[in-house]
Amino acid sequence: MFSGLVEGRAEVRALTRQRSGAKLELAAPRLVRGASPWRPVRGESIAVSGCCLTVSGRGRGGCTSYDLSRETLRETWLGQLTPGREVNIERAVRLADRLGGHLVSGHVEALGRVTRRAESDDGGRLVTVEVPAGFERWLLAKGSITIDGVSLTIVAPRALRFRVALIPETLRKTTLGELRTGARVHLEADLIGKWVARLLGAAR
């Protein structure tokens, strides 16, 4: 389980295709101020741009590797990664942690598409995202959503589109500041909302 509060950004060292999927190798992340030292262990769960992956190997200097299944390659954009590109990184939350974002499972549910960017007067940015048909049921005004592993608040949902307001701190600390029109993004809907919908549906 994660919170959607990105701890740092890691550079891609390599993405190697394999018969069963692919292997992703990341350099040690550049952690944001105040984050605890990066000492991942083999088998640990890490959210890589919102996709929960398992550390399968460790290298010198805090480098880590992850096995990507065919399902992961099919449902995410991780298979398009190239050396030098950066990804958002978050370790799993502990029960004693402050939950500053919202409950995030790290299971990418859909790929959205950035359709518009607009600078705001406070130095932030408004980004409009289009979602695939069916995902719009989770777009609730002022509700929570995860984009590439970042916990955000939904603004002005309408049909298959919604906006998010990115503050300067988010633009600086995460990869969302590098999003361009047409970019694909990982989406995960609010976990609590999904369970409420499931339970209400079962009760009918």
Side-chain angles (χ1 to χ4, degrees):
M1 192 68 67
F2 307 92
S3 69
L5 297 185
V6 171
E7 292 185 88
R9 296 161 64 166
E11 182 180 311
V12 175
R13 286 283 182 86
L15 180 71
T16 308
R17 294 284 179 168
Q18 300 177 331
R19 181 172 299 180
S20 59
K23 180 177 289 292
L24 173 64
E25 297 177 44
L26 299 178
R30 294 183 289 107
L31 299 178
V32 300
R33 184 177 301 174
S36 57
W38 178 255
R39 297 191 184 95
V41 297
R42 195 176 178 126
E44 182 178 350
S45 294
I46 306 291
V48 178
S49 286
C51 180
C52 181
L53 299 177
T54 301
V55 177
S56 59
R58 295 176 56 192
R60 293 181 179 179
C63 294
T64 50
S65 59
Y66 308 82
D67 293 319
L68 308 183
S69 66
R70 293 175 181 173
E71 176 76 5
T72 297
L73 295 175
R74 183 167 54 248
E75 299 296 330
T76 74
W77 49 251
L78 295 182
Q80 302 170 15
L81 288 172
T82 54
R85 184 170 173 179
E86 291 191 322
V87 291
N88 295 323
I89 293 292
E90 182 192 352
R91 289 165 291 186
V93 296
R94 295 168 294 192
L95 291 179
D97 286 343
R98 294 185 180 90
L99 188 61
H102 70 282
L103 294 176
V104 176
S105 68
H107 298 156
V108 176
E109 297 173 292
L111 286 173
R113 182 174 65 89
V114 175
T115 60
R116 188 170 184 271
R117 303 186 321 157
E119 305 301 320
S120 54
D121 295 337
D122 62 357
R125 187 174 299 155
L126 289 173
V127 175
T128 302
V129 177
E130 182 179 59
V131 304
F135 192 87
E136 74 276 11
R137 68 181 297 200
W138 309 118
L139 302 181
L140 177 67
K142 297 185 179 179
S144 296
I145 193 166
T146 308
I147 297 181
D148 283 353
V150 183
S151 173
L152 296 166
T153 300
I154 296 170
V155 179
R158 185 174 182 181
L160 295 179
R161 295 187 178 186
F162 70 97
R163 288 184 297 168
V164 289
L166 305 180
I167 63 174
E169 187 76 351
T170 300
L171 295 175
R172 183 175 67 86
K173 290 184 176 179
T174 75
T175 61
L176 298 190
E178 300 161 7
L179 289 178
R180 299 291 181 264
T181 301
R184 307 292 282 180
V185 292
H186 295 153
L187 299 176
E188 182 184 336
D190 180 59
L191 186 64
I192 295 177
K194 289 184 290 186
W195 274 109
V196 170
R198 174 72 179 270
L199 292 173
L200 289 176
R204 292 176 180 173

